[in-house]
Amino acid sequence: MGKTTKKLSFWVRRRSHIPVLVIGTLVVLLLFFNEETSFKLNMEYQTRINDLHQAIELNEDSAAYYRARREAIENGKADLEHIAREQFHMQRPTEDVFIIKD
């Protein structure tokens, strides 16, 4: 090997970290500034996902309440009568009914 080849080989070995740094910098820039995969958009999407999960949990609780109420109406005549009296403001002769309006 000639002197020039040795110097070139030595220079390449000493500067081998530069391509790694350039590629790493490009990856980081793409993560933060690319439209489709930006860090900001991902944070917004994650916030929206969390909000939707909370809404789903709230609706599942409401659905369970109304499901239980429907089953009580279908299975018990007393419950059906109670709900009908409540809905149409009817009372039995021995009952007192209080209507609260906001």
Side-chain angles (χ1 to χ4, degrees), residues 63-84:
Y65 167 76
Y66 287 114
R67 194 175 300 117
R69 187 142 181 184
R70 187 192 73 218
E71 288 175 7
I73 290 170
E74 288 175 352
N75 295 333
K77 186 175 179 175
D79 291 327
L80 179 61
E81 181 184 340
H82 175 74
I83 290 171

Side-chain angles (χ1 to χ4, degrees), residues 3-56:
K3 247 184 183 181
T4 311
T5 310
K6 282 187 179 183
K7 284 183 180 180
L8 183 63
S9 175
F10 180 72
W11 185 84
V12 168
R13 278 187 277 141
R14 293 216 9 138
R15 305 293 190 274
S16 64
H17 63 282
I18 292 175
V20 173
L21 290 176
V22 169
I23 291 171
T25 304
L26 287 174
V27 168
V28 169
L29 289 174
L30 282 174
L31 286 175
F32 281 100
F33 297 113
N34 190 10
E35 289 269 336
E36 296 174 3
T37 60
S38 72
F39 185 72
K40 180 183 170 188
L41 276 177
N42 282 332
M43 292 302 290
E44 290 174 6
Y45 292 153
Q46 192 60 43
T47 303
R48 180 76 174 136
I49 288 170
N50 291 339
D51 292 343
L52 291 173
H53 280 299
Q54 289 175 353
I56 287 170

